[in-house]
């Protein structure tokens, strides 16, 4: 038997009165988090939810998310986290595809959630906050005290604990089935390697509905009894204020968050001296951003690599002493990683040997929910195919070059967008940049850059293109450049390149 909720029960037993959650409204201890989630488990069970049933969780980073999350698990049900930025048709699709029986949503997203639930034929809705627009019931009905500890439902390690939907870069999102054992080990092993401590306070700005925030932040923190400082919506001010208020020691983020923090005025309102380390994942962090952040804040950034289907850690730089800057680290314990050429042959180590990153081990999903053909394609040859391109150096550190699907082929030459973006990020007038391939009648594809300028005098388009031309091979530099006020971001803070053209 292995029910993932055991990580909360064990920490509540060992450290009942230590903070589990810190937020604007105060703190919640591990004992109280355990009791509140017990109440949710009891309420769901009384409403007919049985082990294996799916319950959708559509909340931002507020205390009710971990309360409901662990309550769902304790009842033996499967958590289906939904992005709070989704529109009704997207919500309806994921509810129907997962066959969710109950939805816990948030007042700020209730209108879209209710429309999506109606499309999926789901009527059992509970909401955190006002429920004026639908007959949704208040979430407080699920938190009535039960008086005694709720027994964890019997679950096997191979049973699904969560169905997390991919970002859907091609076609509709697929639901990755993440098991109890997979999620437990992905909390336990990275936490041990990273030496997470019970007195750590982790800034939890990464959305908990995303696998990075759910698995690598929340589950890891709970497994080791650390505190989560919840940030409902990322802004630099919110993060820096929470670090100051809660004396946070760890910040988990994606590259766009580090970029935004760098651009924000750092004045006497903020005291970040408590931070001991930052962790970056979700996308490759530009070298310039990493260097500038470490210099300004005096805190090392440890970069890792993972994805929804691996929940999430594949490789990691486990400490400031044992890291290789600009790499995503080495495979964690129990995880195998290789680089394959297009014919499925393993490539040797060496920065010149770029191929697809494939992996296998305890960390991979059971499969895509209801999609056996997509699952078989993803696991060709017995290894999970990430769709990312990378290489190993001679010491076994992995470098992610780019997404396989984002590779630009210009006149028969391969152009890796990340390489071009690295150059753009070094330009003093560029705050953010994204590079994509656009159709070209003569060359097949042309390189196009989208740039968010830094505040101040407007940069010159020709000058930025010339800057790239001086630093990149002739076939790599962007001939097309478009200025934007902002770049489209996912709920997890990743640039949505499919919306750029």
């Amino acid at each position: 038997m292995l029910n993932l909720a055991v990580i909360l029960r064990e920490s509540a037993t060992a450290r009942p009165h230590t903070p589990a959650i810190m937020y604007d409204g105060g703190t919640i201890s591990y004992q109280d988090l355990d009791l509140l989630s017990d109440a949710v488990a009891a309420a769901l069970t009384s409403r007919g939810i049985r082990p294996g049933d799916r319950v959708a969780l559509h909340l931002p980073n507020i205390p009710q998310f971990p309360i409901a999350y662990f309550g769902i698990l304790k009842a033996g049900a499967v958590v289906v986290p939904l992005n709070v930025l989704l529109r009704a048709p997207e919500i309806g699709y994921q509810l129907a595809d997962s066959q969710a029986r109950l939805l816990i949503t948030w007042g700020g997203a209730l209108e879209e959630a209710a429309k999506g639930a109606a499309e999926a034929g789901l009527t059992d809705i509970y909401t955190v906050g006002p429920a004026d627009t639908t007959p949704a019931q208040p979430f407080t009905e699920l938190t009535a005290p039960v008086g005694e500890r709720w027994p964890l439902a019997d679950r096997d390690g191979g049973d699904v604990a969560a169905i997390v939907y991919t970002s859907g870069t091609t076609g509709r999102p697929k639901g990755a089935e993440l098991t109890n054992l997979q999620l437990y080990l992905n909390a336990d092993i990275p936490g041990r390697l990273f030496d997470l401590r019970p007195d750590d306070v982790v800034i939890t700005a990464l959305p908990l509905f995303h696998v990075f925030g759910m698995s690598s932040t929340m589950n890891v923190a709970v497994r080791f009894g650390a505190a989560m400082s919840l940030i409902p919506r990322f802004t630099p001010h919110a993060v820096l204020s929470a670090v100051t208020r809660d004396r946070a020691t760890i910040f988990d983020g994606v590259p766009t968050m580090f970029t935004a923090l760098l651009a924000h005025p750092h004045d006497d309102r903020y005291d970040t001296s408590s931070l001991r380390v930052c962790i970056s994942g979700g996308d490759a962090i530009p070298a310039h951003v990493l260097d500038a952040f470490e210099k300004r804040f005096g805190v090392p950034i440890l970069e890792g690599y993972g994805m929804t289907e691996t929940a999430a850690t594949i490789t990691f730089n486990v400490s400031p002493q044992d890291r290789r800057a600009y790499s995503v680290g080495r495979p964690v314990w129990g995880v195998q990683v290789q680089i394959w050429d297009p014919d499925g042959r393993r490539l040797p180590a060496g920065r010149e040997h770029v191929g697809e990153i494939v992996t296998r081990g305890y960390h991979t999903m059971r499969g895509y929910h209801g999609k056996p053909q997509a699952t078989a394609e993803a696991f060709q040859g017995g290894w999970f195919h990430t769709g990312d391109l990378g290489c190993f150096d001679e010491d076994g550190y992995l470098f992610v070059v780019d997404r396989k699907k984002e590779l630009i082929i210009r006149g028969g030459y391969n152009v890796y967008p990340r390489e071009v973006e690295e150059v753009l990020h070094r330009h003093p007038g560029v705050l953010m940049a994204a590079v994509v391939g656009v159709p070209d009648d003569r060359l097949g594809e042309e390189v196009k850059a989208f740039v968010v300028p830094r505040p101040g005098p407007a940069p010159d388009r020709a000058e930025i293109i010339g800057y790239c031309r001086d630093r990149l091979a002739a076939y790599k530099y962007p001939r097309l450049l478009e200025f934007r006020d902002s770049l489209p971001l996912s709920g997890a803070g990743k640039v949505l390149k499919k919306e750029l053209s």
Side-chain angles (χ1 to χ4, degrees), residues 246-264:
D246 297 332
R247 306 308 296 147
T249 57
I250 299 171
F251 171 61
D252 292 351
V254 293
T256 53
M257 291 180 176
F258 290 99
T259 300
L261 286 166
L262 268 174
H264 188 74

mmCIF file of all heavy atoms in Angstrom, residues 246-264:
data_model
loop_
_atom_site.group_PDB
_atom_site.id
_atom_site.type_symbol
_atom_site.label_atom_id
_atom_site.label_comp_id
_atom_site.label_asym_id
_atom_site.label_seq_id
_atom_site.Cartn_x
_atom_site.Cartn_y
_atom_site.Cartn_z
ATOM 1 N N ASP A 246 8.423 36.352 5.576
ATOM 2 C CA ASP A 246 8.508 34.974 6.082
ATOM 3 C C ASP A 246 9.943 34.491 6.261
ATOM 4 O O ASP A 246 10.149 33.340 6.641
ATOM 5 C CB ASP A 246 7.756 34.027 5.136
ATOM 6 C CG ASP A 246 6.275 34.348 5.065
ATOM 7 O OD1 ASP A 246 5.745 34.885 6.067
ATOM 8 O OD2 ASP A 246 5.644 34.072 4.027
ATOM 9 N N ARG A 247 10.929 35.350 5.976
ATOM 10 C CA ARG A 247 12.342 34.967 6.054
ATOM 11 C C ARG A 247 12.574 33.697 5.231
ATOM 12 O O ARG A 247 13.159 32.710 5.700
ATOM 13 C CB ARG A 247 12.795 34.771 7.513
ATOM 14 C CG ARG A 247 12.524 35.944 8.428
ATOM 15 C CD ARG A 247 13.064 37.261 7.879
ATOM 16 N NE ARG A 247 14.529 37.247 7.765
ATOM 17 C CZ ARG A 247 15.201 37.893 6.810
ATOM 18 N NH1 ARG A 247 14.544 38.571 5.874
ATOM 19 N NH2 ARG A 247 16.509 37.832 6.767
ATOM 20 N N ALA A 248 12.102 33.733 4.012
ATOM 21 C CA ALA A 248 12.195 32.562 3.126
ATOM 22 C C ALA A 248 13.638 32.228 2.812
ATOM 23 O O ALA A 248 14.499 33.116 2.701
ATOM 24 C CB ALA A 248 11.425 32.819 1.840
ATOM 25 N N THR A 249 13.896 30.938 2.653
ATOM 26 C CA THR A 249 15.252 30.455 2.386
ATOM 27 C C THR A 249 15.433 29.924 0.968
ATOM 28 O O THR A 249 16.563 29.819 0.496
ATOM 29 C CB THR A 249 15.620 29.336 3.375
ATOM 30 O OG1 THR A 249 14.655 28.273 3.270
ATOM 31 C CG2 THR A 249 15.636 29.855 4.803
ATOM 32 N N ILE A 250 14.327 29.578 0.297
ATOM 33 C CA ILE A 250 14.401 28.970 -1.036
ATOM 34 C C ILE A 250 13.373 29.629 -1.942
ATOM 35 O O ILE A 250 12.231 29.884 -1.523
ATOM 36 C CB ILE A 250 14.130 27.452 -0.975
ATOM 37 C CG1 ILE A 250 15.182 26.754 -0.103
ATOM 38 C CG2 ILE A 250 14.123 26.828 -2.378
ATOM 39 C CD1 ILE A 250 14.870 25.289 0.177
ATOM 40 N N PHE A 251 13.788 29.908 -3.169
ATOM 41 C CA PHE A 251 12.850 30.387 -4.191
ATOM 42 C C PHE A 251 12.913 29.466 -5.392
ATOM 43 O O PHE A 251 13.974 29.293 -5.993
ATOM 44 C CB PHE A 251 13.171 31.823 -4.606
ATOM 45 C CG PHE A 251 12.372 32.291 -5.797
ATOM 46 C CD1 PHE A 251 10.995 32.354 -5.741
ATOM 47 C CD2 PHE A 251 13.001 32.646 -6.982
ATOM 48 C CE1 PHE A 251 10.256 32.760 -6.847
ATOM 49 C CE2 PHE A 251 12.281 33.060 -8.088
ATOM 50 C CZ PHE A 251 10.891 33.117 -8.015
ATOM 51 N N ASP A 252 11.782 28.837 -5.719
ATOM 52 C CA ASP A 252 11.653 28.021 -6.927
ATOM 53 C C ASP A 252 10.991 28.876 -8.003
ATOM 54 O O ASP A 252 9.942 29.479 -7.750
ATOM 55 C CB ASP A 252 10.760 26.796 -6.682
ATOM 56 C CG ASP A 252 11.380 25.787 -5.727
ATOM 57 O OD1 ASP A 252 12.556 25.939 -5.394
ATOM 58 O OD2 ASP A 252 10.662 24.849 -5.340
ATOM 59 N N GLY A 253 11.575 28.899 -9.201
ATOM 60 C CA GLY A 253 10.982 29.712 -10.247
ATOM 61 C C GLY A 253 11.314 29.226 -11.635
ATOM 62 O O GLY A 253 12.099 28.289 -11.823
ATOM 63 N N VAL A 254 10.682 29.842 -12.616
ATOM 64 C CA VAL A 254 10.995 29.617 -14.023
ATOM 65 C C VAL A 254 11.753 30.844 -14.524
ATOM 66 O O VAL A 254 11.743 31.908 -13.876
ATOM 67 C CB VAL A 254 9.713 29.375 -14.859
ATOM 68 C CG1 VAL A 254 9.050 28.071 -14.462
ATOM 69 C CG2 VAL A 254 8.726 30.534 -14.710
ATOM 70 N N PRO A 255 12.451 30.741 -15.661
ATOM 71 C CA PRO A 255 13.305 31.849 -16.110
ATOM 72 C C PRO A 255 12.615 33.202 -16.205
ATOM 73 O O PRO A 255 13.226 34.227 -15.878
ATOM 74 C CB PRO A 255 13.798 31.367 -17.478
ATOM 75 C CG PRO A 255 13.857 29.879 -17.321
ATOM 76 C CD PRO A 255 12.648 29.533 -16.489
ATOM 77 N N THR A 256 11.352 33.236 -16.641
ATOM 78 C CA THR A 256 10.680 34.535 -16.753
ATOM 79 C C THR A 256 10.516 35.201 -15.392
ATOM 80 O O THR A 256 10.491 36.435 -15.299
ATOM 81 C CB THR A 256 9.298 34.373 -17.419
ATOM 82 O OG1 THR A 256 8.537 33.375 -16.721
ATOM 83 C CG2 THR A 256 9.445 33.959 -18.877
ATOM 84 N N MET A 257 10.412 34.405 -14.332
ATOM 85 C CA MET A 257 10.314 34.985 -12.990
ATOM 86 C C MET A 257 11.628 35.631 -12.576
ATOM 87 O O MET A 257 11.640 36.730 -11.999
ATOM 88 C CB MET A 257 9.917 33.906 -11.977
ATOM 89 C CG MET A 257 8.507 33.385 -12.136
ATOM 90 S SD MET A 257 8.133 32.112 -10.893
ATOM 91 C CE MET A 257 6.388 31.796 -11.250
ATOM 92 N N PHE A 258 12.739 34.961 -12.862
ATOM 93 C CA PHE A 258 14.042 35.534 -12.528
ATOM 94 C C PHE A 258 14.287 36.819 -13.325
ATOM 95 O O PHE A 258 14.842 37.791 -12.805
ATOM 96 C CB PHE A 258 15.151 34.512 -12.786
ATOM 97 C CG PHE A 258 15.148 33.360 -11.818
ATOM 98 C CD1 PHE A 258 14.579 32.143 -12.165
ATOM 99 C CD2 PHE A 258 15.685 33.491 -10.549
ATOM 100 C CE1 PHE A 258 14.561 31.085 -11.272
ATOM 101 C CE2 PHE A 258 15.675 32.447 -9.653
ATOM 102 C CZ PHE A 258 15.104 31.235 -10.013
ATOM 103 N N THR A 259 13.858 36.827 -14.585
ATOM 104 C CA THR A 259 13.997 38.023 -15.409
ATOM 105 C C THR A 259 13.202 39.180 -14.816
ATOM 106 O O THR A 259 13.683 40.315 -14.730
ATOM 107 C CB THR A 259 13.524 37.733 -16.842
ATOM 108 O OG1 THR A 259 14.313 36.682 -17.411
ATOM 109 C CG2 THR A 259 13.645 38.969 -17.720
ATOM 110 N N ALA A 260 11.959 38.889 -14.394
ATOM 111 C CA ALA A 260 11.103 39.935 -13.818
ATOM 112 C C ALA A 260 11.669 40.446 -12.496
ATOM 113 O O ALA A 260 11.621 41.657 -12.216
ATOM 114 C CB ALA A 260 9.694 39.393 -13.612
ATOM 115 N N LEU A 261 12.213 39.570 -11.675
ATOM 116 C CA LEU A 261 12.810 39.989 -10.402
ATOM 117 C C LEU A 261 14.022 40.888 -10.635
ATOM 118 O O LEU A 261 14.249 41.858 -9.906
ATOM 119 C CB LEU A 261 13.201 38.766 -9.580
ATOM 120 C CG LEU A 261 12.037 38.004 -8.935
ATOM 121 C CD1 LEU A 261 12.507 36.642 -8.441
ATOM 122 C CD2 LEU A 261 11.440 38.809 -7.785
ATOM 123 N N LEU A 262 14.793 40.563 -11.664
ATOM 124 C CA LEU A 262 15.955 41.395 -11.994
ATOM 125 C C LEU A 262 15.542 42.797 -12.422
ATOM 126 O O LEU A 262 16.225 43.782 -12.113
ATOM 127 C CB LEU A 262 16.758 40.741 -13.126
ATOM 128 C CG LEU A 262 17.886 39.802 -12.743
ATOM 129 C CD1 LEU A 262 18.464 39.145 -13.984
ATOM 130 C CD2 LEU A 262 18.976 40.546 -11.985
ATOM 131 N N ALA A 263 14.435 42.889 -13.129
ATOM 132 C CA ALA A 263 13.992 44.175 -13.664
ATOM 133 C C ALA A 263 13.291 45.029 -12.612
ATOM 134 O O ALA A 263 13.072 46.221 -12.821
ATOM 135 C CB ALA A 263 13.056 43.950 -14.852
ATOM 136 N N HIS A 264 12.939 44.426 -11.469
ATOM 137 C CA HIS A 264 12.178 45.143 -10.439
ATOM 138 C C HIS A 264 13.123 45.921 -9.522
ATOM 139 O O HIS A 264 14.165 45.399 -9.121
ATOM 140 C CB HIS A 264 11.360 44.143 -9.614
ATOM 141 C CG HIS A 264 10.407 44.797 -8.653
ATOM 142 N ND1 HIS A 264 9.250 45.414 -9.068
ATOM 143 C CD2 HIS A 264 10.453 44.930 -7.303
ATOM 144 C CE1 HIS A 264 8.607 45.887 -8.016
ATOM 145 N NE2 HIS A 264 9.321 45.613 -6.935
#
